[in-house]
Every structure is written in structure tokens, then in C-alpha cells.
Amino acid sequence: KQEVTQIPAALSVPEGENLVLNCSFTDSAIYNLQWFRQDPGKGLTSLLLIQSSQREQTSGRLNASLDKSSGRSTLYIAASQPGDSATYLCAVSTTNDYKLSFGAGTTVTVRA
Amino acid sequence: GAGVSQTPSNKVTEKGKYVELRCDPISGHTALYWYRQSLGQGPEFLIYFQGTGAADDSGLPNDRFFAVRPEGSVSTLKIQRTERGDSAVYLCASSLYNLIQDTQYFGPGTRLTVL
């Protein structure tokens, strides 16, 4: 069974600092990996999707890397802003119906 | 355009009652997923539909849980004889097809509380 771990569970940084969020997974035979953002009481918003053949994806201030062989992904958020405060979830799919296995998330607070 | 919608947003029920949770996916999306999220945890997979058929129901915890998608669009998750342990946020997601590059788009969820 795929196990997804996110460390740290919580992170607090001053505005302007770069954020580094880590995700590890036990089964490296994945199809894709997605990073999501969740605001309190809200659903999930997809940030980036990396296919298994890709090494990274970028969108604006966000960059996600994937190292399948070591079972790791890292989400970088440059020049953090208070609006980046949220919980960030990592999820992987290991079956061809692409159902997702999620980590418990990293809750980020960006202090103004 | 319209995203994934779920109704009701909140549902409070008593132990032993029956509940139905509704999901309206993005128009034209053929794949639909249900997940359940307990407090402080990531979502856990329940069931996946491709079109009208339940292609993977391996995440349903027991036979009190059932889901349908009769016309390949709206889906309903049904829970019989609810238990306090069923309290959670139930999330629905849809994607365009069932391809490796397809992003799953999530609805806001239904918060179920069983008293």
C-alpha cells in the first residue's frame, strides 16, 4: 500500500522567505504526482501535476520537482506572501485509474 | 466556468439514519472520484467512476456505503445506518478523461456530522 508522508506538519515563515515543502512516498511506481492547496473549510485546488516521466513543473512562483527513484517530491514557493498561508497536500497515483493517495499535508503560515 | 459542486455543504444526522450526498462534476468530465477527509488527515479514496460504471470501489469501508452515477454525470454517495465514525468531510473530484496528465478538480465538500 502506498504511504505518503509530508514533513514538516507545520511551518511558519516571515513574508518574503522562500518555502520548501517535502513529500515522500514508499512505492516509486507512480503514474503522476499532484500538489494541492487547501484553505480552511474549503476544497482542494490543484497547483501542479507532474507525470512520472517528468522531473519538474513550474507555475509562476511555484516549482515542484520529482525524484521517482528516491520516492521524493519538493514544492518550492518563492518569495512567500501572507496569501500563501494554507495547507499544502501532496498526492500520488499508482494505478491506471489515477486514484490519489494523499499525505496529511503541511500547514503553512506566512507572517506579514 | 462552473466547477465541481456538492450538496449539501453541511449535513447533521443522528446515528442510524440514512444520508445521501450529491456531486455535480464539471460538465463533460467522464471520470469522477469520491474521497473522505477526517480532521487533520489527507483525503482517502472511496470510489471511482468512469462514465456510469463504478470502475474501482476498493476504498468503500463497508457495505453501508454505496454510490451511483446513473447518467454519467451527477453522482450520489449513499450511507446507510450512519455511525459516529462516519463523521468527516466527503469530497468529490472530476477529471476530463482518465489520462495520466488529467488534473483532478475538487468540489468544496460536504461536512457530515453524525450525532
Side-chain angles (χ1 to χ4, degrees), chain A residues 31-32 34 36 38 42-44 46 49 51-52 89 96-100 102-104, chain B residues 33 35 37 40 42-43 45 48 56 58 91 98-104 106-108:
Chain A
Y31 284 80
N32 60 35
Q34 287 187 247
F36 293 89
Q38 186 170 35
K42 302 287 178 64
L44 280 66
S46 180
L49 181 151
Q51 297 178 43
S52 58
L89 293 156
N96 60 7
D97 56 12
Y98 307 112
K99 65 188 179 196
L100 295 171
F102 282 85
Chain B
Y33 304 79
Y35 296 85
Q37 186 174 24
F45 169 78
Y48 158 66
D56 183 349
S58 62
L91 295 165
N98 179 30
L99 301 175
I100 193 172
Q101 69 267 31
D102 286 341
T103 297
Q104 290 186 29
F106 280 76

Coordinates of all heavy atoms in Angstrom, one line a residue, chain A residues 31-32 34 36 38 42-44 46 49 51-52 89 96-100 102-104, chain B residues 33 35 37 40 42-43 45 48 56 58 91 98-104 106-108:
Chain A
Y31 N 2.2 6.9 -11.3 CA 1.9 7.5 -12.6 C 2.1 9.0 -12.7 O 2.6 9.5 -13.6 CB 0.4 7.1 -13.0 CG 0.2 5.7 -13.4 CD1 0.1 4.7 -12.4 CD2 0.1 5.3 -14.7 CE1 -0.1 3.3 -12.8 CE2 -0.1 4.0 -15.1 CZ -0.2 3.0 -14.2 OH -0.3 1.7 -14.5
N32 N 1.6 9.6 -11.6 CA 1.8 11.0 -11.5 C 1.7 11.5 -10.1 O 1.4 10.7 -9.2 CB 0.8 11.8 -12.4 CG -0.7 11.6 -12.0 OD1 -1.0 11.4 -10.8 ND2 -1.6 11.7 -13.0
Q34 N 0.6 15.0 -7.7 CA 0.0 16.4 -7.7 C 0.2 17.0 -6.4 O 0.2 16.4 -5.3 CB -1.5 16.2 -8.0 CG -1.9 15.9 -9.4 CD -3.4 16.0 -9.6 OE1 -4.1 15.0 -9.9 NE2 -4.0 17.2 -9.6
F36 N -1.6 20.0 -4.1 CA -2.8 20.8 -3.9 C -2.6 21.8 -2.8 O -1.8 21.6 -1.9 CB -4.0 19.8 -3.5 CG -4.4 18.9 -4.6 CD1 -3.8 17.6 -4.7 CD2 -5.4 19.2 -5.5 CE1 -4.2 16.7 -5.7 CE2 -5.8 18.3 -6.5 CZ -5.2 17.1 -6.6
Q38 N -5.1 23.7 0.2 CA -6.5 23.6 0.8 C -6.5 24.7 1.8 O -5.7 24.8 2.7 CB -6.7 22.3 1.5 CG -8.1 22.1 2.1 CD -8.4 20.7 2.5 OE1 -7.5 20.0 3.0 NE2 -9.6 20.3 2.4
K42 N -12.5 24.6 3.0 CA -12.6 24.6 1.5 C -12.2 23.3 0.9 O -11.5 22.5 1.6 CB -11.9 25.8 0.9 CG -12.2 27.2 1.4 CD -13.6 27.6 0.9 CE -14.0 29.0 1.5 NZ -13.1 30.0 1.0
G43 N -12.5 23.2 -0.4 CA -12.0 22.0 -1.1 C -10.5 22.2 -1.5 O -9.9 23.1 -1.1
L44 N -10.0 21.3 -2.4 CA -8.7 21.3 -2.8 C -8.5 22.0 -4.1 O -9.3 21.8 -5.0 CB -8.1 19.9 -2.9 CG -7.7 19.2 -1.7 CD1 -8.9 18.9 -0.7 CD2 -7.0 17.9 -2.0
S46 N -5.9 22.4 -7.3 CA -4.7 21.8 -7.8 C -3.7 22.9 -8.2 O -4.0 23.9 -8.8 CB -5.0 21.0 -9.1 OG -3.9 20.4 -9.7
L49 N 0.8 19.4 -11.5 CA 0.8 17.9 -11.7 C 2.1 17.6 -12.5 O 2.4 18.2 -13.5 CB -0.4 17.5 -12.5 CG -0.6 16.0 -12.9 CD1 -2.1 15.7 -13.0 CD2 0.1 15.6 -14.1
Q51 N 3.9 14.4 -14.3 CA 3.8 13.0 -14.8 C 5.1 12.2 -14.4 O 6.1 12.8 -14.2 CB 3.6 13.0 -16.3 CG 2.3 13.6 -16.7 CD 2.1 13.7 -18.2 OE1 2.4 12.7 -18.9 NE2 1.7 14.8 -18.7
S52 N 5.0 10.9 -14.4 CA 6.1 10.1 -13.9 C 7.3 10.2 -14.8 O 8.4 10.1 -14.3 CB 5.7 8.6 -13.9 OG 5.3 8.2 -15.2
L89 N -1.0 19.9 0.2 CA -1.2 18.4 0.2 C -0.5 17.9 -1.0 O -0.6 18.4 -2.1 CB -2.6 18.0 0.2 CG -3.4 18.3 1.4 CD1 -4.9 18.4 1.1 CD2 -3.2 17.3 2.5
N96 N -3.9 2.7 -12.8 CA -4.2 3.4 -14.0 C -5.6 4.0 -14.0 O -6.2 4.4 -15.0 CB -4.0 2.5 -15.2 CG -4.8 1.2 -15.2 OD1 -5.7 1.1 -14.3 ND2 -4.6 0.3 -16.1
D97 N -6.3 4.0 -12.8 CA -7.5 4.8 -12.7 C -7.1 6.1 -12.0 O -8.0 7.0 -11.8 CB -8.6 4.1 -12.0 CG -8.2 3.6 -10.6 OD1 -7.2 4.0 -10.1 OD2 -9.0 2.8 -10.0
Y98 N -5.9 6.3 -11.7 CA -5.3 7.6 -11.2 C -6.0 8.0 -9.9 O -6.0 9.2 -9.5 CB -5.4 8.7 -12.2 CG -4.7 8.2 -13.5 CD1 -5.5 8.0 -14.7 CD2 -3.4 7.9 -13.5 CE1 -4.9 7.5 -15.8 CE2 -2.8 7.4 -14.7 CZ -3.5 7.2 -15.8 OH -2.9 6.8 -16.9
K99 N -6.5 7.1 -9.1 CA -7.0 7.5 -7.8 C -5.8 7.9 -7.0 O -4.7 7.4 -7.1 CB -7.7 6.3 -7.1 CG -6.8 5.1 -6.8 CD -7.6 4.0 -6.3 CE -6.7 2.8 -6.0 NZ -7.5 1.5 -5.8
L100 N -6.0 8.9 -6.1 CA -4.9 9.5 -5.4 C -4.7 9.0 -4.0 O -5.7 8.8 -3.3 CB -5.1 11.1 -5.4 CG -5.1 11.7 -6.8 CD1 -5.5 13.2 -6.7 CD2 -3.7 11.6 -7.4
F102 N -3.0 10.5 -0.6 CA -2.6 11.8 -0.1 C -1.7 11.6 1.1 O -1.9 10.7 2.0 CB -3.8 12.6 0.3 CG -4.6 13.2 -0.8 CD1 -5.5 12.5 -1.5 CD2 -4.4 14.5 -1.2 CE1 -6.3 13.0 -2.5 CE2 -5.1 15.1 -2.2 CZ -6.0 14.3 -2.9
G103 N -0.8 12.6 1.3 CA -0.2 12.9 2.6 C -1.1 13.7 3.5 O -2.2 14.1 3.0
A104 N -0.7 13.9 4.7 CA -1.6 14.6 5.7 C -1.4 16.1 5.5 O -2.2 16.8 6.1 CB -1.2 14.2 7.1
Chain B
Y33 N -14.5 10.9 -8.8 CA -13.9 10.3 -7.7 C -14.6 10.8 -6.4 O -14.9 12.0 -6.3 CB -12.4 10.6 -7.5 CG -11.6 10.2 -8.7 CD1 -11.6 11.1 -9.9 CD2 -10.8 9.1 -8.7 CE1 -10.8 10.8 -11.0 CE2 -10.0 8.8 -9.8 CZ -10.0 9.6 -10.9 OH -9.2 9.3 -12.0
Y35 N -13.8 11.0 -2.2 CA -12.8 10.8 -1.2 C -13.4 11.2 0.2 O -14.4 11.9 0.2 CB -11.6 11.7 -1.4 CG -10.8 11.4 -2.7 CD1 -11.1 12.0 -3.9 CD2 -9.6 10.7 -2.6 CE1 -10.4 11.7 -5.0 CE2 -8.9 10.4 -3.7 CZ -9.3 10.9 -4.9 OH -8.5 10.7 -6.1
Q37 N -12.3 12.9 4.0 CA -11.2 13.5 4.7 C -11.6 13.7 6.2 O -12.5 14.4 6.5 CB -10.9 14.9 4.1 CG -9.6 15.5 4.7 CD -9.2 16.8 4.0 OE1 -10.0 17.5 3.4 NE2 -7.9 17.2 4.1
G40 N -7.5 16.7 10.2 CA -6.1 16.6 10.3 C -5.4 15.6 9.4 O -4.2 15.4 9.5
G42 N -5.1 13.7 5.3 CA -5.4 13.9 3.9 C -6.6 13.1 3.4 O -7.0 12.2 4.1
P43 N -7.2 13.5 2.3 CA -8.3 12.7 1.8 C -7.9 11.2 1.5 O -6.8 10.9 1.2 CB -8.7 13.4 0.5 CG -8.1 14.8 0.7 CD -6.9 14.6 1.5
F45 N -9.3 7.8 -0.6 CA -10.1 7.4 -1.8 C -11.2 6.5 -1.3 O -11.0 5.6 -0.5 CB -9.2 6.6 -2.8 CG -9.9 5.9 -3.8 CD1 -10.4 6.6 -4.9 CD2 -10.1 4.5 -3.8 CE1 -11.1 5.9 -5.9 CE2 -10.8 3.9 -4.8 CZ -11.3 4.6 -5.9
Y48 N -14.3 5.3 -7.6 CA -14.0 5.9 -8.8 C -15.0 5.4 -9.9 O -15.3 4.3 -10.0 CB -12.6 5.6 -9.3 CG -12.3 5.8 -10.8 CD1 -12.4 7.0 -11.4 CD2 -12.0 4.6 -11.6 CE1 -12.1 7.1 -12.7 CE2 -11.8 4.8 -12.9 CZ -11.8 6.0 -13.5 OH -11.5 6.2 -14.8
D56 N -13.8 1.3 -9.7 CA -13.0 0.9 -8.6 C -13.7 1.3 -7.3 O -13.8 2.5 -7.1 CB -11.6 1.6 -8.7 CG -10.6 1.2 -7.6 OD1 -11.1 0.6 -6.6 OD2 -9.4 1.5 -7.7
S58 N -12.8 0.0 -4.3 CA -12.0 -0.6 -3.3 C -11.8 0.2 -2.0 O -11.4 -0.4 -1.0 CB -10.6 -1.0 -3.9 OG -9.9 0.2 -4.2
L91 N -15.4 14.6 -0.1 CA -15.0 15.3 -1.2 C -15.3 14.6 -2.5 O -15.0 13.4 -2.6 CB -13.5 15.7 -1.1 CG -13.1 16.5 0.0 CD1 -11.6 16.5 0.2 CD2 -13.5 18.0 -0.2
N98 N -9.5 9.9 -18.3 CA -8.8 9.1 -17.4 C -7.4 8.9 -17.9 O -6.9 7.8 -18.2 CB -9.5 7.7 -17.2 CG -8.7 6.8 -16.2 OD1 -8.1 7.3 -15.3 ND2 -8.8 5.5 -16.4
L99 N -6.7 10.0 -18.0 CA -5.4 10.1 -18.6 C -4.3 10.5 -17.6 O -4.6 11.3 -16.7 CB -5.3 11.0 -19.8 CG -6.3 10.6 -21.0 CD1 -6.3 11.7 -22.1 CD2 -6.0 9.2 -21.5
I100 N -3.1 10.2 -17.8 CA -2.0 10.4 -16.9 C -1.8 11.9 -16.6 O -1.4 12.3 -15.6 CB -0.7 9.8 -17.4 CG1 0.3 9.8 -16.2 CG2 -0.2 10.5 -18.6 CD1 1.6 9.0 -16.6
Q101 N -2.2 12.8 -17.6 CA -2.0 14.2 -17.5 C -3.2 14.9 -17.0 O -3.2 16.2 -16.9 CB -1.6 14.8 -18.8 CG -2.7 14.8 -19.9 CD -2.6 13.6 -20.8 OE1 -2.2 12.5 -20.4 NE2 -3.0 13.8 -22.0
D102 N -4.3 14.2 -16.6 CA -5.5 14.9 -16.3 C -5.5 15.2 -14.8 O -5.5 14.4 -13.9 CB -6.7 14.0 -16.6 CG -7.0 13.9 -18.0 OD1 -6.6 14.8 -18.8 OD2 -7.7 12.9 -18.4
T103 N -5.7 16.5 -14.5 CA -5.8 17.0 -13.2 C -7.2 16.7 -12.6 O -8.2 16.7 -13.3 CB -5.7 18.6 -13.2 OG1 -4.3 18.9 -13.7 CG2 -5.9 19.2 -11.8
Q104 N -7.2 16.4 -11.3 CA -8.5 16.2 -10.7 C -8.9 17.5 -10.0 O -8.1 18.1 -9.3 CB -8.4 15.1 -9.6 CG -8.2 13.7 -10.2 CD -8.2 12.6 -9.1 OE1 -8.9 12.7 -8.1 NE2 -7.5 11.5 -9.4
F106 N -11.5 19.4 -7.5 CA -12.3 19.0 -6.3 C -13.4 20.0 -6.1 O -13.2 21.2 -6.3 CB -11.4 19.0 -5.1 CG -10.6 17.7 -5.0 CD1 -9.5 17.5 -5.8 CD2 -11.0 16.7 -4.1 CE1 -8.7 16.3 -5.7 CE2 -10.2 15.5 -4.0 CZ -9.1 15.3 -4.8
G107 N -14.5 19.5 -5.5 CA -15.5 20.3 -5.0 C -15.2 20.8 -3.6 O -14.2 20.4 -3.0
P108 N -16.1 21.6 -3.0 CA -15.9 22.2 -1.7 C -16.1 21.2 -0.6 O -15.7 21.4 0.6 CB -16.8 23.3 -1.6 CG -17.9 23.0 -2.5 CD -17.3 22.2 -3.6

